[in-house]
Amino acid sequence: MSGSESPRAASAEQAPPRARPEIGVILVAAGRGERLGAGIPKGFVEVGGQTLLERGVRTIAALPHAGHLVVVVPDDWAGRALELVDEALPAGTLWETSVVHGGRERHESVRFGIEALPAEVGIVLVHDAARPLAGAPLFERVLAEVRRTGDSVVPALPVADTLKRVDGDGIVHETVDRSALVAVQTPQGFRREALESAHATAALHAEHGSGAAGAGSGSGAGSSGVPTDDAEVMQRAGGRVRTVAGEMRAHKLTTAADHALLEALAAQDTQDEKGGRA
């Protein structure tokens, strides 16, 4: 794992000293985007004329807090990521930035991001660059709940569709009760020491071939395989995770259909901005 500061962050040595960051955000853009079929890593795909990485950086670096943003990308795209980060940082930002390369799995990429954060960071938000339209209010809502409760926090939306359980042949066996189900998004928020400890536990179990399954009493502890988000990493380590209201705009880019939807939303944003300036 290696890290680099953006040129603008490096030039901050000649500027007046900043407040030390207490908040860290890990922007995960290390996915190859194979299901999308774009031919480039997903974080470098454009929506509304901006890469997903740029959109995430602009939203995070505009938050009114002193913080440190770590962007996690494929190793061979780190140079381009540094350029995009420097271009996207707003003037006068309170945020320091760095770029590190990702791991073999998502949870390993997040661990590399945690390791790149300054020691004084006490709260960490983990966000998927693949959710480029997640707004600042969503980040603030997650952050406020972590501060209020000390628990791990994820944004979530009620499940609207009817859910069916099917077998490998596509045969429906039952309708699943959706009343206690939610669809989880990012950013997800954590106390830094709890997230570090949970990822250390996940890494230990991965080394011994158990995939971290069964490591803890949380509701995710009975699942097997690689954890799909950091809330699951926390639950496998026995941590408690609570929800706050998510937002429809924090839609994830996975397929070409998702890309079309996000392009339409971004175009509407542009139209609204033009209307507001008229």
Side-chain angles (χ1 to χ4, degrees), residues 160-195:
D161 294 325
T162 297
L163 301 177
K164 304 286 187 182
R165 194 181 309 279
V166 300
D167 62 21
D169 296 321
I171 305 300
V172 174
H173 284 263
E174 63 175 319
T175 299
V176 178
D177 180 9
R178 67 188 182 200
S179 62
L181 299 178
V182 293
V184 172
Q185 303 174 315
T186 69
Q188 300 182 356
F190 310 90
R191 289 181 295 109
R192 195 254 185 81
E193 64 271 21
L195 186 62

Side-chain angles (χ1 to χ4, degrees), residues 135-163:
L138 186 59
F139 282 83
E140 295 286 10
R141 189 153 59 244
V142 171
L143 176 60
E145 190 68 359
V146 175
R147 283 175 163 166
R148 186 184 74 84
T149 66
D151 289 338
S152 302
V153 177
V154 298
L157 293 175
V159 176
D161 294 325
T162 297
L163 301 177

Side-chain angles (χ1 to χ4, degrees), residues 33-112:
E34 294 175 357
R35 282 178 288 177
L36 183 60
I40 59 175
K42 196 188 301 184
F44 298 86
V45 171
E46 291 190 359
V47 167
Q50 300 178 52
T51 64
L52 307 193
L53 191 153
E54 289 174 283
R55 285 184 173 275
V57 169
R58 287 193 171 101
T59 298
I60 294 162
L63 296 173
H65 310 283
H68 190 104
L69 167 62
V70 180
V71 181
V72 188
V73 297
D75 193 25
D76 49 345
W77 285 78
R80 179 57 180 151
L82 281 166
E83 295 173 356
L84 291 173
V85 168
D86 196 51
E87 293 168 7
L89 284 174
T93 181
L94 299 173
W95 287 74
E96 302 169 354
T97 60
S98 56
V99 174
V100 302
H101 72 72
R104 293 164 298 178
E105 303 287 351
R106 184 186 185 282
H107 66 93
E108 189 175 36
S109 294
V110 173
R111 180 161 54 86
F112 290 166

Side-chain angles (χ1 to χ4, degrees), residues 100-277:
V100 302
H101 72 72
R104 293 164 298 178
E105 303 287 351
R106 184 186 185 282
H107 66 93
E108 189 175 36
S109 294
V110 173
R111 180 161 54 86
F112 290 166
I114 298 169
E115 292 171 355
L117 289 170
E120 57 268 30
V121 165
I123 294 177
V124 179
L125 304 185
V126 182
H127 183 54
D128 290 334
R131 298 182 187 273
L133 301 184
L138 186 59
F139 282 83
E140 295 286 10
R141 189 153 59 244
V142 171
L143 176 60
E145 190 68 359
V146 175
R147 283 175 163 166
R148 186 184 74 84
T149 66
D151 289 338
S152 302
V153 177
V154 298
L157 293 175
V159 176
D161 294 325
T162 297
L163 301 177
K164 304 286 187 182
R165 194 181 309 279
V166 300
D167 62 21
D169 296 321
I171 305 300
V172 174
H173 284 263
E174 63 175 319
T175 299
V176 178
D177 180 9
R178 67 188 182 200
S179 62
L181 299 178
V182 293
V184 172
Q185 303 174 315
T186 69
Q188 300 182 356
F190 310 90
R191 289 181 295 109
R192 195 254 185 81
E193 64 271 21
L195 186 62
E196 276 186 321
S197 176
H199 273 279
T201 299
L204 178 64
H205 281 266
E207 288 174 5
H208 289 82
S210 63
S217 57
S219 61
S223 60
S224 60
V226 176
T228 58
D229 70 357
D230 295 279
E232 186 176 0
V233 173
M234 287 295 302
Q235 286 182 286
R236 290 185 181 195
R240 181 168 63 182
V241 180
R242 66 174 65 234
T243 63
V244 294
E247 60 181 34
M248 293 295 294
R249 292 178 53 79
H251 187 77
K252 186 177 181 181
L253 175 60
T254 302
T255 67
D258 297 318
H259 192 245
L261 174 59
L262 289 166
E263 286 281 11
L265 291 171
Q268 185 61 56
D269 286 347
T270 301
Q271 190 64 32
D272 291 345
E273 290 172 6
K274 289 179 179 178
R277 290 195 297 265

